[in-house]
Amino acid sequence: MDNEWREVIGEWAGEHAFIARNATGGSVQMGALGDKVGLSPMELLLAGVAGCTGVDVVDILTKKRQPIEALQVKVRGKRVDTYPRIYKEIEVLYLVWGNGIDPEALEQAIKLSEEKYCSASAMMRGVATIRSSYRILAAGEIFE
């Protein structure tokens, strides 16, 4: 079990921007700095859900020998009107590209991620209702 502390340092970069860095050199800009726009802290929470569940789903589908070629996880959230303006609803759309993806395998992968493995989803589920859906697309198909 990973009981070690995780740490990021947020450093004011000027104007309304902060740069967050982790111990391994990863970084992300929050807010706008001149003409360079970063993600907002609340968007980073949604990005965390997308990345966390996305990795899980890819890993599970790969283990199930599903012919996944690409995955996009679109996450959007609706916030309450009063402060603190936390998310009250989150919608997750999984767009999966591959010829011959078994819908049951995908549904199981999503369920395992959302209910067992994805820590970011588990954290957000404590304050928001999370709904998910998926769409399987043929390799090369454009999603509109």
Side-chain angles (χ1 to χ4, degrees), residues 61-80:
L61 289 177
T62 300
K63 287 176 184 169
K64 290 178 170 289
R65 293 184 167 83
Q66 293 297 301
I68 183 170
E69 293 188 19
L71 172 70
Q72 282 187 4
V73 183
K74 294 188 175 196
V75 183
R76 67 183 193 164
K78 186 181 285 188
R79 297 167 67 180
V80 298

Side-chain angles (χ1 to χ4, degrees), residues 7-9 19-29:
E7 181 177 86
V8 296
I9 296 173
I19 307 294
R21 291 182 177 81
N22 66 10
T24 58
S27 66
V28 65
Q29 176 183 314

Side-chain angles (χ1 to χ4, degrees), residues 76-121:
R76 67 183 193 164
K78 186 181 285 188
R79 297 167 67 180
V80 298
D81 293 329
T82 57
Y83 288 94
R85 297 195 56 228
I86 62 172
Y87 287 113
K88 63 179 178 178
E89 295 177 63
I90 296 173
E91 294 179 347
V92 182
L93 172 60
Y94 298 85
L95 300 172
V96 183
W97 282 265
N99 296 323
I101 302 275
D102 178 8
E104 284 186 29
L106 177 56
E107 288 171 12
Q108 185 180 36
I110 291 169
K111 183 175 180 175
L112 282 169
S113 175
E114 292 182 345
E115 294 180 4
K116 183 175 184 180
Y117 296 117
C118 180
S119 304
S121 293

